[in-house]
Amino acid sequence: MPEVARHPTFPRKFRFRRVGRARKLPLETRVKKILERLDKAYPRATCALGHANSVQLLVSTILSAQCTDERVNKVTPELFLKYPNVYALAGIEPEELQPVIRSTGFFRNKAKAIVGAARKLVSEFGGRVPETMAEILTLPGVARKTANVVLGTAFGKATGIVVDTHVHRIARRLDLSRGASLLAALGI
């Protein structure tokens, strides 16, 4: 059974406050200062999803869509005990997986994606998770965010930035964006 990663928490008094003169600093300087403070607050930050290998990370990341990492970490120990490898997942029907992952929400789609991805891993990649963006994006249930999580965490490849729904709020709080919407915050 994989060890569940513990997500670090902010030290009690740590807080990013708006600095009145922050916008007067060049963007590069502000970003450098933000990264230094994040490194200090999270010295050993790791992926919050419990996993023992790249296949488990892929499955956990698919399950994490519209679900908390905490909930995924409650479901995966039973899941990985029942289906210990990619071949076990590839050999079942999605309906067999659904009861195990039901509490993560959207369980029918997730079960179909997980079993489909497992089957493709077995048939086209020898049971191994591909290490390139182009190949991993061909797996069912995998889009850029999932691909970036897996490639970055399992293989140490920084192919993109993993963002979630909080990116807009955080970008404004850290004075990285003045945009009124998520699209404006991303510069789109």
Side-chain angles (χ1 to χ4, degrees), residues 11-145:
R12 200 173 272 185
K13 292 185 179 183
F14 185 84
R15 204 171 156 214
F16 280 110
R17 292 186 184 91
R18 288 182 187 241
V19 180
R21 294 169 284 159
R23 287 195 175 160
K24 293 180 181 176
L25 294 173
L27 179 63
E28 189 174 316
T29 304
R30 280 189 285 136
V31 169
K32 185 176 179 183
K33 287 179 181 270
I34 290 167
L35 292 175
E36 286 170 0
R37 291 183 75 185
L38 285 170
D39 285 341
K40 185 177 178 181
Y42 291 105
R44 292 175 301 280
T46 60
C47 180
L49 296 170
H51 62 282
N53 56 53
S54 58
V55 172
Q56 289 185 359
L57 179 59
L58 176 66
V59 170
S60 294
T61 309
I62 291 171
L63 288 174
S64 72
Q66 301 295 311
C67 182
T68 65
D69 293 346
E70 183 180 0
R71 169 55 51 194
V72 171
N73 287 337
K74 287 180 181 176
V75 168
T76 52
E78 178 188 350
L79 172 66
F80 298 143
L81 192 60
K82 194 169 183 178
Y83 307 105
N85 56 47
V86 70
Y87 300 99
L89 286 167
I92 63 171
E93 292 300 318
E95 294 77 20
E96 191 177 332
L97 185 59
Q98 289 175 6
V100 181
I101 65 170
R102 184 181 193 97
S103 66
T104 64
F106 302 101
F107 61 94
R108 288 182 187 88
N109 287 337
K110 290 178 183 181
K112 185 177 172 184
I114 290 167
V115 171
R119 288 176 180 168
K120 189 160 187 170
L121 288 175
V122 169
S123 67
E124 295 184 24
F125 299 104
R128 299 180 56 87
V129 176
E131 296 186 34
T132 67
M133 180 65 76
E135 290 177 323
I136 200 168
L137 287 175
T138 66
L139 299 174
V142 176
R144 290 195 72 84
K145 182 176 177 181

Side-chain angles (χ1 to χ4, degrees), residues 66 145 162-171 181-182 185-186:
Q66 301 295 311
K145 182 176 177 181
V162 180
V163 297
D164 63 14
T165 55
H166 304 290
V167 70
H168 170 62
R169 180 176 55 85
I170 299 299
S181 70
L182 177 60
L186 294 172

